[in-house]
Amino acid sequence: MGSSVLSNLPCAKEADAAPKLLIIMVGLPARGKSYIVRKLSRYLNWLQYEARVFNVGERRRAEAHVEQSGEKAEESHLSRGQFSSSAAFFDPTNADLVSARDQIALKTLDELLNWLSRQDSSSIGILDATNSTQERRQILLSHIRRKRGTLNEVLFIETCCFDQDILEHNFQLKLNGPDYRGQDPDEALRDFRQRVVFYEKSYVPLGEVEEQDKIPYLQVIDVGRKINTHLIQGYLSSRVVEYMLNFNLSERQIWIFSGGESIDDSAGRIGRRSDLTENGQRYAASLVRFIHGERERWEKKRQSHRTQNRDSTRFSVDDPTRKQDALHPQRHKNWSCPLDFCIWTSTMPQTTQTALGFCEKLFTKLQMKTLDDLNAGDMAGLTFEEIATSQPAVYTARKQHKLLYRWPGLGGECYVDLISRLRPVILELERRKDHVLLVTHRAVVRVLLSYFLDLRRDDLAEMVIPKNWGFCLKPTPYGIDFSAYSYRPESGTFCLEPGAQNKFFPS
Amino acid sequence: MGSSVLSNLPCAKEADAAPKLLIIMVGLPARGKSYIVRKLSRYLNWLQYEARVFNVGERRRAEAHVEQSGEKAEESHLSRGQFSSSAAFFDPTNADLVSARDQIALKTLDELLNWLSRQDSSSIGILDATNSTQERRQILLSHIRRKRGTLNEVLFIETCCFDQDILEHNFQLKLNGPDYRGQDPDEALRDFRQRVVFYEKSYVPLGEVEEQDKIPYLQVIDVGRKINTHLIQGYLSSRVVEYMLNFNLSERQIWIFSGGESIDDSAGRIGRRSDLTENGQRYAASLVRFIHGERERWEKKRQSHRTQNRDSTRFSVDDPTRKQDALHPQRHKNWSCPLDFCIWTSTMPQTTQTALGFCEKLFTKLQMKTLDDLNAGDMAGLTFEEIATSQPAVYTARKQHKLLYRWPGLGGECYVDLISRLRPVILELERRKDHVLLVTHRAVVRVLLSYFLDLRRDDLAEMVIPKNWGFCLKPTPYGIDFSAYSYRPESGTFCLEPGAQNKFFPS
C-alpha cells in the first residue's frame, strides 16, 4: 500500500517503521473482553490496519481436543477435554494447573508475536485472555521484552464490571458459549461461578505496578460508565482510546439508505450534484412512510416493554420471552422514554431532496459534508462507458485498485480516503443513543456497511449493493443485528430481504 | 449561522436546541487549571463554539480592589485588597471567610449562567476556580439546578498533580501571578504555600459523591499521565475529552509554511493542482536550508542542556538561567535524545514539490489529503478578477461571508468546512512530541494559525498573511511562543519578523 494512498490517514506511518500495537486484555471472566476485542478489531481493520485477535481460551479448548482425540485423556470422572473447561482447571492453588495455563497463554502469545513480526504494515495483535494476576502479566511482559526487545508497543485493556445486573446477564450469555454448550444450564452456571471465584482469589486490577513500570493501560468500567487511561501516547493507542470512549450498548436503530434516483443516476453519470427524478421522488415519499411506520413499531414495542417492566423488572427463569429482555439491563435504560430520531444527509441535492418529506418537528435533520459522495474529480458527470472510452488508463487503474485508486483531478478520492473522511461519523454513531437515519450515496453506504459487517479489504471493493436497498443495524449485546430492505417501486414499499449478505458478492 | 453551513461539524446541533456545556474546574491551587482552561477554550472557539471563561480569582481581586478604592479597608496590617490575596483569606476554619468566598464563587457562577442563557448557539461556560470541597461543589450544583432546571449540562474537570517537580515549577510560576506580583519572592512563596495548606485541609477529589449523583467528570493527573472519565456522553463533552487526551507539554517546534510559488499562483489563479515556478523552486531550496539550520540549532541547544543537566538536574535559586530550565521538568523529558522531525504536505504538487529537497532519511515525510487547499469548487483555476467579472454574485457573497460561504460546485468549501477538516490535524499536532513542519496552502495556514493564536471568528476571515511568510510555534508552560519568518528571495533566506501579529490586520 503506497504511502501516498494512505496519506489521508494522518500518520499511518510513524517514524521509519510501521507502528505496531500489542494489546493485552485483562479482566475476570464474563466482563465482556471478547465483545470489546471483536468490536475493536473490526474498527481497526476498517481503518485499514491489520488487527488480529489471539484467544487463549480457544487454544486451551483446541489443545484439550487434540489430547483427547489422541486418547491421552486422564483417568478422571471428566475427560481431559471436559476437564480443561471445568472450574477445577482454574484452581489457582494447584501449581501444576497454573503452570499448564501459563504454557497455553505463552504459546498463544508466541503465535501473536510471530504474526506481528511478519507484518510489514501497521498492525495490532490482541491477546484475548483474563490475564488477571500480576504473575501472569509479568510472565507475558518478560516474554515480550525478550522477543520484541521493547515494551513500548504494549497496551493493557482491562474491563471491570461492578454492575450486578450486567454481570448476571453476562453469566447467562456464557452458558451458550463453547465451554458449556449442550450442558445442563444449572450445573453449567454453578461450574462457571466456581471458575469466577477461583479467578477472583488471585485477581489484581491494573494499577500501581503498571504505573511504576510505565506500561500504558486503558480501564473500561461498567461498559464505559468510567474510563481510566494511563500513559496513552502512541498514534494507534490513541485511536483505540478514542474509539472506546464512544461506546454504548443502548438499543437503537441505525438506518442507512441511498438517496433516490437522480437525473445523473438515470443517465449513469457519476459524482455530481443532481436533482431527483420522478422515480426518485416516489422513492423519497415511500422512504418517509416506511421510516414513520418503523418508528411507530419501535414506539409500540417500547410502551409494551414499559408496561411489562412495571410488573417485574427482575430476571425470571420461568418466562423465556421476558428473560430475553430482562437479561440485558443496559438495553432497558433506553426504554424509559421515546428516542430522538436524527436524519443525516449529505449536502448534495439527491440526498437532501430525499429527506425533504421528513417533518422537522419529529426528526432532527442535519446536512453533513462528511456524507457527500465519493469525489470523482475530473470524472464527475461522466458515465463509466465514457470513462472507459475517453480515459482507458484511468478506467483500468480504477477497476484494478478500487480501494486505493484516487480519481484524478481536484478533490478526487479513493475508497481509503472515504474511510478516513467517515471516521468521525462512525465514532458519532457509536456514541449516540438515539435512532439515526443516514441518507447518503452508494459509495458511502458501501463504506459504512463494511464497518458494521466487518468486511475485509477486498470485499469492500467487490461488494455489489443492489440499487435502492436500505439497511438497518441494531447494536446488540453480542454484536449487530443486520437487516436489508429492498424498494418495490410498484407498491412504494420496502420489503425485508432475508440472507441479504449473500447477495452482495455474486460470483 | 445557518445550519447548512455548520453541517460539516457533525451534530453541531443536537436535538432541537443548541447544546450547552457548563464546565466546573476542580483542583488545588497551582495545578494548571487556568492553563487548561485557556487551551480548551481556545480549541472550542476555534471549532466555532462560543466558549467563555469565568474566573473566580479575578472577581475576588476585582471586588477587593473596589472595596479598597472605596476606602472600606479593614483595620489590619494588610489592606483589604492585599488581605484577599493573602493566605489568611483562605483559612477553612474561619466561617466568615468561607462564606465570603462562597459568595464570590456564586456571583461568578451567576455571571456565567446569565451569559449561557443569552447564547442561542452551542456554547460552553467554564467556571475557573478551585472548587476543591464537597460543600462548595454542592452549593454550585444546587444553584445550577435552580437556575437551569437540570444538571445535565455540567461537566467537572479536575486537575491533580502528584509529581513534585511539576508542582514546584507551578509554585514558582505563581509568584509572577496577579496575587503576588511585585512582592518579596520568599515571603510570597511562603504565603502561597500556606494558602495551599489551607486548601489541602478540606480538599476532596472528585469520586464517589459525583458517581452517586451521576455527574460527568474528567480527571487529569500529572499533565495527562493519567486521565479518568466518568459518564462522558454528550457531544460537547466528548469533544472536550478527546482534546484533553491529546495533551503534552514536551518542548518541540511546529513549523507552518505555504508551498512555494506555483504557476497558478504567479497568474493569480486559485485552487488547482499546480507545479512550482522557478521562483517556487528557489523558495523550496531555501526552505530546506533554513529548516536544516534550525534543526541543527535545536540539536546543539539540546546537547548543551544535557551536559548542564549532568552536573545538576535540581532547581537552583542562585543561577537564574539554569533555574529557567530546571523549572519545567516535563520539558526536559524531551531533551534526552534527538527528536524526530516529520514533514507533512498536502497531496498537491505545489507542496509536495516544495518538500522534495528534504532527505527521507532525516525527515519522516507524509502526504495528507487533509492538508489540501481550500476547495474552490467551480471557481478553481480562475483569478479573483475573473470571478468578480463572470460571477459577481459569487464574488460578493464570498467577500461578505468568507467564513461561511461555500464555493459553488463539486466539493466547494468554506472556511468552517476547513476547520472541521483540520480538526484531526490539530489533535495530532497536540499529541506528538516531535518536531513537525507542515507545508500547505495559505488558506490552511490561516486556519491553523487562527487556532494557535486564538483568533476570533472575524479575525480569521480578515487576517492577511504576507506571501511567503512561515511560522514557528513552540508550546511552553504558559502558552505558545510564536515567531514569524519572511522569505527574502534575493538572499534565499528566512528572516525573523518581530511583532508579526500586528501586520496580519492592516487597518
Side-chain angles (χ1 to χ4, degrees):
Chain A
M1 204 178 293
S3 84
S4 68
V5 166
L6 265 180
S7 58
N8 57 321
L9 299 174
C11 304
K13 164 179 147 190
E14 270 194 330
D16 311 85
K20 311 262 194 250
L21 187 63
L22 208 163
I23 295 177
I24 301 178
M25 298 302 294
V26 174
L28 292 171
R31 262 62 180 181
K33 288 186 297 301
S34 296
Y35 177 85
I36 285 176
V37 152
R38 264 199 311 275
K39 213 169 142 81
L40 188 57
S41 64
R42 174 159 66 88
Y43 177 66
L44 292 167
N45 278 318
W46 180 73
L47 288 180
Q48 306 297 302
Y49 299 108
E50 286 285 344
R52 189 176 291 186
V53 179
F54 297 82
N55 185 298
V56 174
E58 273 167 26
R59 178 170 266 268
R60 168 174 54 75
R61 283 182 288 270
E63 298 216 340
H65 184 72
V66 169
E67 291 195 18
Q68 194 179 21
S69 46
E71 288 177 74
K72 290 189 204 162
E74 283 175 23
E75 295 291 330
S76 139
H77 69 291
L78 290 169
S79 73
R80 176 81 171 125
Q82 281 175 322
F83 180 67
S84 83
S85 292
S86 73
F89 185 71
F90 301 92
D91 183 351
T93 60
N94 182 328
D96 285 351
L97 290 176
V98 170
S99 157
R101 283 185 288 125
D102 283 347
Q103 286 314 310
I104 296 170
L106 279 179
K107 274 190 198 171
T108 317
L109 176 61
D110 263 331
E111 209 184 318
L112 184 158
L113 293 172
N114 288 338
W115 175 83
L116 205 62
S117 59
R118 277 202 311 273
Q119 302 300 309
D120 52 7
S121 57
S122 303
S123 43
I124 301 107
I126 307 176
L127 189 68
D128 184 9
T130 51
N131 302 316
S132 54
T133 67
Q134 273 304 338
E135 295 70 34
R136 164 66 65 84
R137 297 201 288 266
Q138 287 306 323
I139 290 174
L140 296 177
L141 290 179
S142 356
H143 196 72
I144 292 166
R145 194 184 277 116
R146 210 162 42 239
K147 292 274 177 115
R148 302 275 311 163
T150 172
L151 292 180
N152 284 346
E153 301 159 333
V154 172
L155 170 68
F156 280 118
I157 301 183
E158 179 172 28
T159 58
C160 314
C161 189
F162 302 111
D163 182 324
Q164 282 305 317
D165 286 342
I166 299 179
L167 214 51
E168 201 54 43
H169 164 252
N170 286 351
F171 278 18
Q172 297 286 339
L173 281 182
K174 275 283 170 184
L175 302 190
N176 301 319
D179 277 338
Y180 294 107
R181 204 170 287 141
Q183 294 186 31
D184 172 68
D186 288 342
E187 198 168 311
L189 189 59
R190 213 167 15 243
D191 185 86
F192 185 68
R193 283 190 203 279
Q194 181 55 45
R195 189 200 293 192
V196 174
V197 168
F198 277 144
Y199 272 106
E200 279 170 348
K201 276 187 189 163
S202 49
Y203 171 48
V204 179
L206 295 176
E208 268 179 46
V209 172
E210 284 72 23
E211 289 174 34
Q212 273 166 21
D213 292 351
K214 298 202 182 344
I215 309 283
Y217 70 72
L218 167 66
Q219 232 166 4
V220 183
I221 297 166
D222 290 344
V223 200
R225 181 177 65 81
K226 290 181 68 177
I227 288 191
N228 301 331
T229 72
H230 172 246
L231 280 188
I232 300 299
Q233 297 179 330
Y235 179 77
L236 291 176
S237 38
S238 297
R239 291 290 76 73
V240 168
V241 171
E242 170 187 87
Y243 183 67
M244 294 302 298
L245 277 167
N246 293 281
F247 191 90
N248 81 80
L249 288 175
S250 294
E251 206 167 340
R252 63 203 190 276
Q253 294 180 330
I254 297 165
W255 296 94
I256 303 179
F257 280 77
S258 309
E261 184 194 68
S262 70
I263 296 168
D264 267 6
D265 283 341
S266 69
R269 304 198 174 278
I270 64 168
R272 290 190 305 193
R273 302 168 64 86
S274 179
D275 293 321
L276 291 187
T277 60
E278 270 183 38
N279 281 337
Q281 285 166 8
R282 271 195 297 272
Y283 167 95
S286 308
L287 184 61
V288 173
R289 274 197 310 275
F290 175 66
I291 292 292
H292 267 277
E294 290 295 317
R295 191 179 184 179
E296 262 170 42
R297 272 178 53 184
W298 178 279
E299 180 56 18
K300 277 192 192 139
K301 201 170 132 200
R302 187 186 68 78
Q303 285 173 355
S304 85
H305 267 268
R306 266 184 76 197
T307 323
Q308 273 181 30
N309 283 306
R310 220 172 279 150
D311 307 332
S312 153
T313 55
R314 302 300 308 165
F315 168 66
S316 147
V317 184
D318 309 321
D319 178 351
T321 57
R322 186 169 297 166
K323 180 171 150 185
Q324 182 58 30
D325 301 322
L327 272 177
H328 204 258
Q330 283 273 314
R331 296 162 78 184
H332 282 291
K333 295 194 179 139
N334 234 12
W335 290 109
S336 56
C337 57
L339 293 187
D340 260 350
F341 205 118
C342 304
I343 299 180
W344 300 346
T345 68
S346 76
T347 65
M348 300 169 88
Q350 45 268 62
T351 70
T352 55
Q353 290 173 10
T354 302
L356 212 57
F358 288 100
C359 164
E360 301 261 6
K361 281 191 187 149
L362 296 175
F363 297 89
T364 308
K365 280 200 242 181
L366 193 66
Q367 289 183 21
M368 291 190 191
K369 210 170 159 58
T370 326
L371 289 176
D372 278 1
D373 201 0
L374 186 126
N375 192 317
D378 291 343
M379 305 300 130
L382 301 180
T383 66
F384 279 108
E385 292 72 39
E386 286 167 348
I387 299 170
T389 315
S390 66
Q391 308 258 10
V394 167
Y395 183 80
T396 314
R398 152 85 180 176
K399 213 175 161 63
Q400 282 175 355
H401 306 284
K402 210 166 168 179
L403 199 62
L404 302 173
Y405 181 73
R406 254 181 206 147
W407 288 115
L410 192 66
E413 290 176 313
C414 64
Y415 270 96
V416 172
D417 292 335
L418 202 49
I419 290 170
S420 157
R421 164 144 74 83
L422 289 169
R423 180 163 67 99
V425 174
I426 290 295
L427 292 175
E428 186 61 12
L429 283 174
E430 289 291 349
R431 187 187 68 77
R432 298 205 144 243
K433 296 185 170 175
D434 32 26
H435 301 308
V436 182
L437 162 64
L438 296 102
V439 184
T440 178
H441 308 262
R442 287 175 78 199
V444 177
V445 171
R446 181 197 290 269
V447 172
L448 292 172
L449 278 191
S450 78
Y451 165 72
F452 287 109
L453 301 181
D454 197 10
L455 298 189
R456 300 293 99 180
R457 232 165 256 195
D458 300 332
D459 291 343
L460 165 61
E462 295 312 318
M463 175 165 54
V464 177
I465 298 179
K467 231 178 184 170
N468 288 335
W469 276 31
F471 307 97
C472 181
L473 300 141
K474 279 186 275 191
T476 71
Y478 38 86
I480 289 169
D481 260 4
F482 168 76
S483 338
Y485 296 85
S486 62
Y487 172 58
R488 306 290 164 90
E490 56 292 355
S491 55
T493 55
F494 286 84
C495 297
L496 189 66
E497 289 281 348
Q501 269 174 274
N502 306 325
K503 297 179 192 165
F504 292 164
F505 302 102
S507 53
Chain B
M1 205 175 294
S3 84
S4 70
V5 167
L6 266 180
S7 59
N8 59 319
L9 300 175
C11 304
K13 164 178 146 191
E14 272 194 330
D16 311 84
K20 311 263 195 251
L21 186 64
L22 208 163
I23 294 176
I24 301 178
M25 297 304 293
V26 174
L28 293 171
R31 262 61 180 182
K33 287 185 297 300
S34 296
Y35 176 85
I36 284 177
V37 152
R38 266 199 310 277
K39 212 169 144 78
L40 188 57
S41 64
R42 174 159 66 86
Y43 177 65
L44 292 167
N45 277 318
W46 180 73
L47 287 181
Q48 306 298 301
Y49 299 108
E50 287 285 345
R52 189 176 292 186
V53 179
F54 297 81
N55 184 301
V56 174
E58 274 166 25
R59 177 170 267 268
R60 168 174 54 77
R61 283 183 289 271
E63 298 215 339
H65 184 74
V66 168
E67 292 195 17
Q68 193 179 21
S69 47
E71 288 176 74
K72 291 191 202 160
E74 282 176 22
E75 293 292 329
S76 138
H77 68 290
L78 290 169
S79 73
R80 177 80 171 126
Q82 281 175 322
F83 179 68
S84 83
S85 293
S86 73
F89 186 71
F90 300 91
D91 182 353
T93 60
N94 183 326
D96 285 351
L97 290 176
V98 170
S99 157
R101 285 185 289 123
D102 283 348
Q103 286 313 309
I104 296 170
L106 279 178
K107 274 190 197 170
T108 318
L109 176 60
D110 264 332
E111 210 183 316
L112 185 157
L113 292 172
N114 289 338
W115 175 83
L116 205 62
S117 59
R118 278 202 311 273
Q119 302 301 309
D120 52 7
S121 56
S122 302
S123 44
I124 302 108
I126 307 177
L127 189 69
D128 184 8
T130 51
N131 302 317
S132 54
T133 66
Q134 272 306 337
E135 295 70 34
R136 166 66 66 83
R137 297 201 289 267
Q138 287 305 324
I139 290 173
L140 297 176
L141 289 180
S142 357
H143 197 72
I144 293 166
R145 193 184 278 116
R146 211 162 41 239
K147 292 273 177 116
R148 303 276 310 162
T150 172
L151 292 180
N152 283 346
E153 301 159 332
V154 172
L155 170 68
F156 280 119
I157 301 184
E158 178 170 30
T159 58
C160 315
C161 189
F162 302 109
D163 182 324
Q164 282 306 316
D165 287 340
I166 299 179
L167 214 51
E168 202 55 42
H169 166 251
N170 286 351
F171 278 18
Q172 297 287 339
L173 281 182
K174 275 281 168 184
L175 302 189
N176 301 319
D179 277 338
Y180 293 107
R181 204 171 285 142
Q183 293 187 33
D184 173 69
D186 287 343
E187 197 168 311
L189 189 59
R190 212 166 18 242
D191 185 88
F192 185 70
R193 282 188 203 280
Q194 181 56 45
R195 191 200 291 192
V196 174
V197 168
F198 277 144
Y199 272 107
E200 279 169 348
K201 276 187 189 163
S202 49
Y203 171 47
V204 180
L206 296 175
E208 267 180 45
V209 173
E210 285 72 22
E211 288 174 36
Q212 272 165 20
D213 293 351
K214 297 200 180 353
I215 309 284
Y217 70 72
L218 167 66
Q219 232 168 4
V220 183
I221 296 166
D222 291 342
V223 201
R225 182 178 64 82
K226 287 179 69 175
I227 289 191
N228 301 333
T229 72
H230 173 245
L231 279 187
I232 300 298
Q233 297 178 329
Y235 180 77
L236 290 176
S237 38
S238 297
R239 291 290 76 74
V240 168
V241 171
E242 169 188 85
Y243 184 66
M244 294 303 298
L245 277 167
N246 292 281
F247 191 91
N248 81 81
L249 287 175
S250 293
E251 208 167 339
R252 65 204 191 274
Q253 295 180 331
I254 297 165
W255 296 95
I256 303 179
F257 280 77
S258 309
E261 185 194 67
S262 68
I263 297 169
D264 266 6
D265 284 341
S266 68
R269 303 198 175 280
I270 64 167
R272 289 190 303 193
R273 302 168 64 87
S274 178
D275 292 322
L276 291 188
T277 61
E278 272 183 37
N279 281 337
Q281 285 166 9
R282 272 195 296 274
Y283 167 95
S286 308
L287 183 62
V288 172
R289 276 198 308 277
F290 175 66
I291 292 293
H292 267 276
E294 291 294 318
R295 192 181 183 177
E296 263 169 40
R297 275 177 52 184
W298 178 278
E299 180 56 16
K300 277 190 192 138
K301 202 171 133 199
R302 186 187 69 79
Q303 284 173 357
S304 84
H305 266 267
R306 264 185 76 196
T307 322
Q308 273 182 31
N309 283 307
R310 222 172 277 148
D311 307 332
S312 155
T313 56
R314 301 301 310 163
F315 169 65
S316 146
V317 183
D318 309 321
D319 177 351
T321 57
R322 187 170 297 164
K323 179 170 150 186
Q324 182 59 29
D325 300 322
L327 272 176
H328 205 257
Q330 284 273 313
R331 296 162 79 185
H332 283 290
K333 296 195 178 139
N334 235 10
W335 289 110
S336 57
C337 57
L339 294 188
D340 260 350
F341 205 118
C342 303
I343 299 181
W344 300 346
T345 68
S346 76
T347 64
M348 300 169 88
Q350 46 268 61
T351 70
T352 54
Q353 290 174 10
T354 301
L356 211 58
F358 289 99
C359 163
E360 301 261 5
K361 280 188 187 151
L362 296 174
F363 297 88
T364 308
K365 279 201 244 181
L366 194 65
Q367 289 182 23
M368 291 190 190
K369 208 171 162 57
T370 325
L371 290 176
D372 277 1
D373 201 0
L374 186 126
N375 192 318
D378 290 345
M379 305 300 129
L382 301 180
T383 67
F384 280 109
E385 293 71 39
E386 286 168 348
I387 299 170
T389 315
S390 67
Q391 308 258 10
V394 167
Y395 183 80
T396 314
R398 151 85 180 177
K399 212 176 161 64
Q400 283 175 354
H401 306 283
K402 211 165 167 179
L403 199 61
L404 302 174
Y405 181 72
R406 253 181 206 146
W407 287 116
L410 192 66
E413 289 177 313
C414 64
Y415 270 97
V416 172
D417 291 335
L418 202 49
I419 290 170
S420 156
R421 165 144 73 84
L422 289 169
R423 182 163 66 98
V425 175
I426 290 295
L427 293 175
E428 185 62 11
L429 283 173
E430 289 291 351
R431 187 187 69 77
R432 298 205 143 242
K433 296 185 168 175
D434 33 25
H435 300 309
V436 182
L437 162 63
L438 295 103
V439 183
T440 177
H441 307 264
R442 287 175 78 199
V444 177
V445 171
R446 179 197 290 271
V447 172
L448 292 172
L449 278 190
S450 78
Y451 165 72
F452 286 108
L453 302 180
D454 197 10
L455 297 189
R456 301 290 99 181
R457 232 165 258 195
D458 300 333
D459 292 343
L460 165 61
E462 295 312 319
M463 176 166 53
V464 177
I465 298 178
K467 231 178 185 168
N468 288 335
W469 278 30
F471 307 96
C472 181
L473 300 141
K474 280 186 275 191
T476 71
Y478 37 86
I480 288 168
D481 260 4
F482 169 75
S483 335
Y485 297 86
S486 63
Y487 172 57
R488 305 292 165 90
E490 56 289 359
S491 55
T493 55
F494 286 85
C495 297
L496 189 67
E497 289 281 348
Q501 268 174 272
N502 306 326
K503 297 180 191 165
F504 293 165
F505 302 102
S507 54

